[in-house]
Amino acid sequence: MTKVGVSILSADYMNFTTELKSINQSGAEYLHLDIMDGHFVPNMTFGPEMVRQMSRECSLPLDVHLMIEKPERFIKEFAEAGAEIITVHYEACLNNLDEVLSSIKEHGCKPGIAINPDTSAEKIKKYISEIDLILQMTVFPGFGGQKFIESTLDNIKQLSKWREEENLSYMIEVDGGINFSTAADCVNSGVDLLVAGSFFIDSDNKNELVKELQEQI
Ligand code: DX5
Ligand code: ZN
């Protein structure tokens, strides 16, 4: 079964408790939290204290997606805030990705690497045996509600091929523009974790939506 993470980015921030409750009971496997710093991406969201408070309202494991420069400054804070997975961008750690991944592990979390739509999977090949997850961005990070970029399927197929050839078990996650149609393409290409943002938030039938995404094979 395919796993689903729900992103709260497009939720009503004045009603987080209600939104978190609906995610908590939706049947999704993860709460996906988008952390933006206004530097790495042209938008800002929230920090570790907010994550800590949200974890009290939602019992799902936290999948923390850091879209920030110098993520090494905040690994400890997000780990202590309750993150299960911490994903950093390859593009934000060009000189120190090894150390950042080690730091995530030392703080008791699962490390993930995210790549933007225009980054070749080849760039992260040397790290694939050290990580639990690869997040292929299927839109340019920064905003919810964008259109899925088809060409990212090439990276996904490549990542899936390496996983099989090298007998590895990292999860392949996609984030951005996911709906039933793009989800099917992703799962057929090897994805095991789908992030749903606005598709979930805008839906009137959230539990059914999660179930249908999980049933994509
Ligand atoms: C984009 C974020 C995504 C976003 C996805 O930078 O990383 O998690 O919330 O939103 P949708 O599903 O609306 O494209
Ligand atoms: Zn995200």
Side-chain angles (χ1 to χ4, degrees):
M1 195 178 75
T2 305
K3 294 185 168 66
V4 172
V6 174
S7 162
I8 199 151
L9 182 67
S10 301
D12 175 359
Y13 287 19
M14 291 300 110
N15 276 310
F16 255 164
T17 315
T18 314
E19 300 273 28
L20 286 167
K21 204 173 271 173
S22 76
I23 297 171
N24 202 28
Q25 61 201 25
S26 68
E29 279 82 5
Y30 291 96
L31 174 62
H32 180 92
L33 296 172
D34 290 306
I35 314 299
M36 305 185 185
D37 66 353
H39 289 279
F40 182 71
V41 287
N43 195 4
M44 296 169 94
T45 55
F46 39 79
E49 176 56 22
M50 187 74 171
V51 170
R52 193 181 66 77
Q53 294 196 25
M54 287 197 279
S55 76
R56 289 204 237 127
E57 302 294 326
C58 182
S59 59
L60 299 181
L62 306 183
D63 170 26
V64 175
H65 176 196
L66 297 183
M67 286 161 275
I68 64 176
E69 298 282 4
K70 298 195 172 65
E72 60 275 13
R73 294 170 299 163
F74 288 103
I75 302 300
K76 181 171 181 280
E77 280 78 359
F78 284 108
E80 287 175 358
E84 176 167 311
I85 303 169
I86 297 183
T87 298
V88 295
H89 268 262
Y90 161 78
E91 301 85 0
C93 306
L94 292 175
N95 302 313
N96 65 348
L97 188 50
D98 264 322
E99 291 109 88
V100 179
L101 296 174
S102 302
S103 167
I104 296 172
K105 287 184 215 168
E106 279 157 23
H107 286 93
C109 299
K110 295 180 179 164
I113 302 177
I115 54 174
N116 281 341
D118 59 354
T119 297
S120 157
E122 293 287 342
K123 300 272 188 195
I124 58 161
K125 183 155 193 230
K126 66 177 181 172
Y127 304 101
I128 59 175
S129 60
E130 298 170 41
I131 52 180
D132 288 280
L133 174 142
I134 298 172
L135 169 50
Q136 172 66 54
M137 288 307 300
T138 42
V139 299
F140 283 92
F143 300 92
Q146 303 181 71
K147 190 174 176 293
F148 181 87
I149 299 171
E150 295 277 336
S151 57
T152 56
L153 292 170
D154 294 342
N155 270 353
I156 295 165
K157 287 175 195 151
Q158 182 65 77
L159 293 166
S160 171
K161 189 161 167 260
W162 288 335
R163 180 170 58 182
E164 206 178 310
E165 283 170 1
E166 304 194 19
N167 207 14
L168 295 168
S169 57
Y170 52 80
M171 281 197 283
I172 305 177
E173 178 179 27
V174 282
D175 186 9
I178 297 302
N179 54 40
F180 292 134
S181 153
T182 56
D185 292 343
C186 289
V187 173
N188 287 333
S189 305
V191 163
D192 7 56
L193 172 56
L194 299 162
V195 174
S198 46
F199 191 47
F200 177 93
I201 300 293
D202 298 341
S203 166
D204 294 329
N205 201 346
K206 295 181 169 26
N207 295 16
E208 191 51 38
L209 177 141
V210 168
K211 194 162 160 274
E212 271 192 56
L213 287 173
Q214 288 165 334
E215 283 166 0
Q216 305 282 332
I217 19 161

